[in-house]
Amino acid sequence: MTQETGGFAAFNLNPNILAAVAATGYEEPSAIQQQSIPIIMAGKDMIGQAQTGTGKTAAFALPILHCIDPAKREPQALILAPTRELALQVATAFETYAKQMPGVTVVAVYGGAPMGPQLKAIRNGAQIVVATPGRLCDHLRRDEKVLSTVNHLVLDEADEMLKLGFMDDLEVIFKALPATRQTVLFSATLPQSIRAIAERHLRDPEHVKIQTKTQTVTAIEQAHLLVHADQKTSAVLSLLEVEDFDALIMFVRTKQATLDLASALEAKGYKAAALNGDIAQNQRERVIDSLKDGRLDIVVATDVAARGLDVPRITHVFNVDMPYDPESYVHRIGRTGRAGREGRALLLVTPRERRMLQVIERVTGQKVAEVRLPDAQAVLDARIKKLTNSLSPLVADAESTHGDLLDRLTADIGCTPRALAAALLRKATNGQALTLAAIEKERPLVPNNAPRGDRPERTGDRPDRGDRERRAPVPLAEGRARCRTALGARDGIAAKNLLGAILNEGGLAREAIGRIQVRDSFSLVELPEDGLEKLLAKLKDTRVAGKQLKLRRYRED
Ligand code: AMP
């Protein structure tokens, strides 16, 4: 094991891949990586049961990069992802891990972007193709041989692909690939439909599942907050304003994140330090000692660096990045509530990680309540409380020690004691905002309405009939427009088919699509008002279930 690559070195991956992994700052493989990488490297078929947040992308990307031949300029690996959003994410991950592999190129193939450049990139010899099924089928219609050299196939989030109605497209793609290829399937759940695919298209697959033993959690108050990944730092800063903590440990995934977050906290005046595997052992011990005796209040750590850390002063654990598995969550939050003290654990959850939250709740048998970011009023109250707490012990005898000085200053300056006290407060608070308006101005970064997720509402999964046909239209959310297609249940359409087609051909994020209502002879879809005309133009030639979608703005009046 080397310092740079930690547990990854044991995999015997191509050194250029290891170097790229080291550059990302990962300290050691996650559980799913530990199990999957050797299987995929050995060329075997595999079913991996894992959700977003477990490190599943690297679990297949690293061994696949290891297996491809950079000298061959032809598609060798195909990764299928349910949405454009995920396809781009996976393609970026491949690019990161292949940074030190000259000659390796990655192409992302998804709807809503012109087909020509995508096909050109494939023909120019991109070895890795990351695609959504719908768009890939369009390419296959133009050139059925385009995938004939692919010998590794990964289905990422297979259950999501089926939910979005891509079953038929998958079958077309399976047929276009060599029968001798390796196939790896990742899915958060394994319903019968997924098992059936595995049975038909995988050869003697190995099963990988993260074992989730039931865990007991001691009396620690737990909560979670939904937040977008790029808002984590501001969310942490807001939470710190209102949490009444003594010492606090924050967990992140990478070394770089420990450094970034610790310096953001220091910049706000917190006594904070980073703790990661790159920091020499004696320096680490110094950090822990400082946390013990109060020279530090916050430590931002990776799991590896926090091993064995036992500081009774810790009242709070912030899981700023999601742990890889429930065991590690339980382990992390066990850092607080030591020595019979009360502990509080907060978990930041990005929309895509909500399934992981459910797994944690199931395994621990406890509900992790949702909290919202404190609003300006709560921040104001907390700041005033802190000030009150710091001043009230002084009031009893300050008059006897500083009363005469007060008289003299008011006389010299020629002001009232109230004016002087106000001036002293301004100094004592270092100009910190202590009015609602000022706090609102200071903190526009994180809106208080936490993201509700990146999944569209899909209340209309079943064809609506009878009295539901006659029901009054549901009021539209602000910024949304209702659109209509003449395709409905009688055309064999379900909401998931519409969703899949619009997501991929329209190039939208999932949360951009609102309610989808499928009626017998037509369907209604809620889309963003902003850019609607362009979107409809993009969807002009989109077909669903073999028929033209022809989506138009729908006016109720
Ligand atoms: P995924 O489950 O593939 O969506 O990955 C979730 C996040 O974990 C991504 O931001 C990855 O960059 C990160 N990640 C994956 N593997 C590791 C690792 N071994 N150590 C630290 N972070 C990782």
Side-chain angles (χ1 to χ4, degrees):
M1 264 183 15
T2 68
Q3 169 78 15
E4 292 75 29
T5 52
F8 282 98
F11 292 129
N12 286 325
L13 283 160
N14 173 333
N16 291 335
I17 301 176
L18 282 182
V21 170
T24 61
Y26 300 170
E27 300 219 271
E28 59 171 28
S30 68
I32 193 82
Q33 291 164 0
Q34 196 74 52
Q35 295 185 53
S36 311
I37 291 175
I39 297 173
I40 304 176
M41 275 174 86
K44 293 185 192 149
D45 284 6
M46 194 193 95
I47 300 175
Q49 201 173 346
Q51 53 275 316
T52 301
T54 51
K56 67 179 165 62
T57 315
F60 61 77
L62 302 180
I64 290 222
L65 280 172
H66 176 87
C67 292
I68 62 157
D69 179 356
K72 274 197 197 152
R73 313 273 321 149
E74 59 191 25
Q76 296 172 46
L78 169 66
I79 323 305
L80 292 176
T83 61
R84 153 198 159 114
E85 189 191 4
L86 183 66
L88 281 168
Q89 218 170 293
V90 170
T92 309
F94 266 96
E95 276 166 0
T96 307
Y97 305 135
K99 243 189 202 129
Q100 320 222 10
M101 294 177 77
V104 173
T105 41
V106 182
V107 57
V109 167
Y110 49 82
M115 290 181 64
Q118 296 177 349
L119 199 54
K120 199 162 152 216
I122 302 178
R123 289 191 177 135
N124 279 350
Q127 293 92 343
I128 315 280
V129 180
V130 186
T132 53
R135 171 53 68 97
L136 190 65
C137 281
D138 293 342
H139 283 296
L140 284 172
R141 260 175 239 125
R142 285 192 184 180
D143 176 359
E144 59 181 4
K145 290 265 173 285
V146 77
L147 300 176
S148 59
T149 52
V150 165
N151 41 27
H152 310 275
L153 168 67
V154 179
L155 305 169
D156 193 11
E157 301 198 356
D159 48 357
E160 288 295 313
M161 282 198 268
L162 293 198
K163 273 192 210 156
L164 293 175
F166 287 129
M167 187 66 217
D168 296 345
D169 290 339
L170 288 184
E171 293 294 342
V172 171
I173 296 167
F174 283 129
K175 274 203 201 97
L177 298 173
T180 51
R181 64 168 194 268
Q182 173 185 32
T183 310
V184 173
L185 180 155
F186 274 94
S187 194
T189 56
L190 291 184
Q192 184 45 38
S193 50
I194 300 283
R195 288 175 204 272
I197 289 190
E199 218 151 86
R200 265 181 291 143
H201 299 288
L202 273 66
R203 272 169 308 161
D204 202 11
E206 300 249 0
H207 287 249
V208 167
K209 184 179 175 190
I210 304 307
Q211 289 307 325
T212 48
K213 297 191 289 294
T214 306
Q215 300 275 328
T216 39
V217 178
T218 44
I220 296 165
E221 196 188 319
Q222 300 169 63
H224 80 271
L225 176 89
L226 281 173
V227 67
H228 283 299
D230 57 359
Q231 294 174 339
K232 282 186 181 179
T233 305
S234 19
V236 164
L237 291 172
S238 292
L239 291 167
L240 285 178
E241 296 252 14
V242 296
E243 290 292 335
D244 190 6
F245 66 94
D246 195 2
L248 195 154
I249 180 158
M250 297 189 184
F251 284 99
V252 292
R253 287 199 161 179
T254 64
K255 298 174 203 170
Q256 193 56 45
T258 63
L259 302 175
D260 293 346
L261 187 53
S263 55
L265 293 168
E266 278 192 299
K268 285 281 174 195
Y270 291 102
K271 291 185 283 175
L275 199 66
N276 66 49
D278 273 357
I279 297 173
Q281 186 58 32
N282 55 355
Q283 171 65 15
R284 275 195 241 176
E285 279 159 19
R286 240 175 288 149
V287 168
I288 294 169
D289 286 344
S290 305
L291 189 66
K292 278 187 184 150
D293 63 25
R295 275 173 295 157
L296 281 176
D297 292 328
I298 305 177
V299 163
V300 187
T302 54
D303 293 280
V304 179
R307 243 176 233 158
L309 186 147
D310 184 3
V311 177
R313 258 189 85 219
I314 295 176
T315 51
H316 283 60
V317 170
F318 278 15
N319 291 288
V320 178
D321 288 337
M322 183 64 89
Y324 300 117
D325 43 56
E327 280 88 343
S328 131
Y329 172 77
V330 172
H331 199 68
R332 284 179 177 189
I333 70 171
R335 305 286 167 192
T336 182
R338 293 277 163 123
R341 293 184 185 208
E342 276 179 25
R344 182 160 157 78
L346 267 164
L347 174 66
L348 302 195
V349 182
T350 63
R352 298 183 57 80
E353 290 168 343
R354 277 182 302 171
R355 215 195 282 259
M356 189 66 168
L357 170 67
Q358 287 165 10
V359 175
I360 288 174
E361 289 182 328
R362 202 184 60 231
V363 170
T364 57
Q366 288 185 15
K367 195 100 192 99
V368 180
E370 183 179 352
V371 289
R372 294 294 187 98
L373 277 176
D375 58 15
Q377 183 65 52
V379 171
L380 177 64
D381 292 346
R383 287 185 184 176
I384 291 180
K385 191 172 160 211
K386 264 187 211 150
L387 190 60
T388 311
N389 290 345
S390 68
L391 292 178
S392 61
L394 306 179
V395 171
D397 69 343
E399 216 174 330
S400 65
T401 57
H402 288 69
D404 291 345
L405 182 60
L406 182 87
D407 291 342
R408 160 121 196 229
L409 287 179
T410 45
D412 285 0
I413 299 170
C415 66
T416 61
R418 186 171 194 265
L420 185 59
L424 290 171
L425 280 177
R426 186 185 290 171
K427 217 170 156 134
T429 52
N430 271 331
Q432 196 185 38
L434 285 170
T435 63
L436 259 191
I439 291 176
E440 269 159 8
K441 229 202 255 147
E442 188 187 280
R443 321 166 55 249
L445 273 175
V446 184
N448 199 36
N449 52 340
R452 301 312 306 165
D454 60 354
R455 273 157 225 278
E457 294 171 53
R458 275 184 288 124
T459 46
D461 256 9
R462 283 169 296 123
D464 288 343
R465 293 224 172 76
D467 58 346
R468 300 186 78 188
E469 287 279 337
R470 292 187 292 275
R471 217 175 35 189
V474 185
L476 265 179
E478 209 183 297
R480 286 253 164 89
R482 193 166 276 136
C483 295
R484 182 183 190 280
T485 163
L487 302 183
R490 69 175 178 200
D491 304 292
I493 295 286
K496 63 184 181 184
N497 307 113
L498 293 175
L499 181 65
I502 298 170
L503 276 177
N504 286 300
E505 293 302 312
L508 292 182
R510 292 193 206 184
E511 68 264 29
I513 304 182
R515 265 174 78 91
I516 298 180
Q517 296 162 275
V518 178
R519 307 291 168 88
D520 199 34
S521 57
F522 66 97
S523 304
L524 300 176
V525 186
E526 290 176 14
L527 295 170
E529 180 67 66
D530 193 25
L532 184 67
E533 299 312 321
K534 254 200 192 143
L535 174 66
L536 294 182
K538 241 189 213 173
L539 296 171
K540 197 165 59 68
D541 299 322
T542 300
R543 301 174 79 84
V544 181
K547 295 188 179 150
Q548 280 239 301
L549 179 62
K550 287 198 188 147
L551 206 55
R552 303 262 187 279
R553 185 190 279 276
Y554 176 63
R555 300 197 189 276
E556 272 117 46
D557 49 3

